[in-house]
Amino acid sequence: MSAPTVQLSIVIPVYNEELNLPTLFARLYPVLDALGRSYEIIFTNDGSHDRSMALLAAQHAARPDVTRVIDFNSNYGQHMAIMAAFERVRGDIIVTLDADLQNPPEEIPKLLEKIDAGHDYVGGFRLNRQDSFFRTYASKLINFAREKMTSIEMTDQGCMLRAYRRPIIEAIVRSGAINTFIPALAYSFSGNPAEVGVKHEERHAGVSNYSLYMLIRLNFDLITGFSLAPLQIFTMFAMLCAAGSFALVLILAYLRLFRHDDTNGVFTLFGILFFLISVTMVGIGLIGEYIGRTYQVVRARQRYHVREVLEAKGS
Ligand code: UDP
Ligand code: MG
């Protein structure tokens, strides 16, 4: 990455947001224009199937000096979309934002204040979260698990309204991470993180792009990407089970040899067997997670493919 040429880069991933983009443009640009800082906005179109790309191209034509658009050939997910923008940012401060207006653009100055105060990473946490009951409580649970298993302290890992100093972004880009969770990765590179409460609004239009499956995947990436705790907990658990079953074998052998009592023996064995098999299966799955990650890194395949970049030349 070369030296920064603007003060502020805003990074926004876009996936099927045609209903939100016009409002986003109408609210975001005035906020940034009023800051009195030089800025750029980088949108990544993450393989949208709707008119998002056309809207982005029109916006680029309207504000070519400050608007850049990266067009993916297909859907690689929110974090890869952000990563592609990170690789191209020209700002000294970088802010990530969702396109659906759940994080109001009007809150950006709050983050910048903290950055100006000397923090290199400022995370937002959502005040009055406006998501479904299920999402809100599932997040609380996941936050708790993350806190216990990794050394990442973060009030609200799901809030994407965040600001970073350029060195953090450079470190993220250099790490070449795959399947990653950007807020956590940034946290691990930060020397002086801070948090601020930001307003949270209901999704302006459309529905969340995250299914339950994707949320589970994302959190698996988070935990396996930042700690070996699952593997270690599993090993401890397996050792306990092994000790327990060994004791059971001794008891069964004693009953059989000295008490000649072998009623229900078959069922007991089945019970133990099923239990042990399930433990083994969980273990194999866990090991698979880590091997999968290793495989992806070793394979070093292109993480995403950019079809086109719309930007003013040399700006
Ligand atoms: N997004 C993306 N690619 C995806 C899914 C989502 O670029 O595969 C973008 C989406 O357009 C939005 C942000 O990521 O700007 C957050 O997505 P969403 O609002 O669906 O997630 P939620 O707020 O429900 O966590
Ligand atoms: Mg959202």
Side-chain angles (χ1 to χ4, degrees), residues 215-236:
L215 282 175
I216 292 174
R217 277 295 338 154
L218 191 68
N219 284 288
F220 232 105
D221 287 344
L222 176 63
I223 306 267
T224 55
F226 290 90
S227 102
L228 293 175
L231 216 49
Q232 289 155 349
I233 293 171
F234 175 74
T235 315
M236 298 302 287

Side-chain angles (χ1 to χ4, degrees), residues 98 100 102 203:
D98 281 351
D100 60 2
Q102 287 199 279
R203 210 171 205 289

Side-chain angles (χ1 to χ4, degrees), residues 5-241:
T5 53
V6 291
Q7 286 170 293
L8 182 64
S9 293
I10 310 287
V11 166
I12 307 180
V14 176
Y15 180 57
N16 296 341
E17 302 281 7
E18 61 177 1
L19 297 174
N20 295 320
L21 286 176
T23 323
L24 176 69
F25 298 153
R27 283 173 59 181
L28 179 63
Y29 284 77
V31 171
L32 299 177
D33 288 331
L35 285 176
R37 303 185 194 219
S38 56
Y39 72 89
E40 61 171 7
I41 308 177
I42 309 185
F43 295 96
T44 306
N45 174 40
D46 187 16
S48 301
H49 302 296
D50 63 0
R51 289 171 40 252
S52 294
M53 186 55 206
L55 293 172
L56 291 174
Q59 184 61 22
H60 173 255
R63 294 292 302 270
D65 49 329
V66 291
T67 312
R68 300 166 69 192
V69 181
I70 300 168
D71 186 21
F72 278 1
N73 69 319
S74 94
N75 181 246
Y76 294 93
Q78 182 185 1
H79 292 258
M80 277 306 117
I82 295 175
M83 210 56 131
F86 278 180
E87 285 171 9
R88 292 169 174 78
V89 288
R90 294 171 181 153
D92 183 36
I93 301 170
I94 291 92
V95 171
T96 52
L97 187 75
D98 281 351
D100 60 2
L101 294 159
Q102 287 199 279
N103 317 128
E106 292 78 15
E107 300 287 82
I108 292 174
K110 263 198 207 168
L111 300 179
L112 296 180
E113 232 169 72
K114 283 270 183 197
I115 291 274
D116 291 340
H119 296 282
D120 56 358
Y121 170 40
V122 181
F125 59 88
R126 294 168 283 193
L127 304 166
N128 276 320
R129 189 159 172 195
Q130 302 293 321
D131 269 322
S132 65
F133 178 83
F134 169 74
R135 270 296 286 273
T136 309
Y137 280 86
S139 289
K140 284 209 164 125
L141 190 74
I142 284 160
N143 265 316
F144 178 78
R146 189 216 61 245
E147 210 141 278
K148 295 287 162 225
M149 291 208 228
T150 70
S151 54
I152 296 160
E153 282 171 39
M154 205 178 277
T155 311
D156 184 2
Q157 65 183 34
C159 181
M160 272 319 216
L161 182 55
R162 287 168 191 276
Y164 315 84
R165 278 270 174 205
R166 190 176 180 85
I168 306 255
I169 301 304
E170 285 172 349
I172 291 180
V173 169
R174 265 198 311 274
S175 80
I178 294 173
N179 285 354
T180 195
F181 197 80
I182 285 167
L185 194 58
Y187 183 92
S188 68
F189 293 135
S190 160
N192 186 9
E195 298 200 90
V196 285
V198 290
K199 283 202 209 93
H200 192 233
E201 292 174 6
E202 260 179 72
R203 210 171 205 289
H204 177 255
V207 291
S208 170
N209 292 305
Y210 276 102
S211 60
L212 179 62
Y213 169 75
M214 284 166 72
L215 282 175
I216 292 174
R217 277 295 338 154
L218 191 68
N219 284 288
F220 232 105
D221 287 344
L222 176 63
I223 306 267
T224 55
F226 290 90
S227 102
L228 293 175
L231 216 49
Q232 289 155 349
I233 293 171
F234 175 74
T235 315
M236 298 302 287
F237 181 63
M239 276 158 62
L240 275 178
C241 287

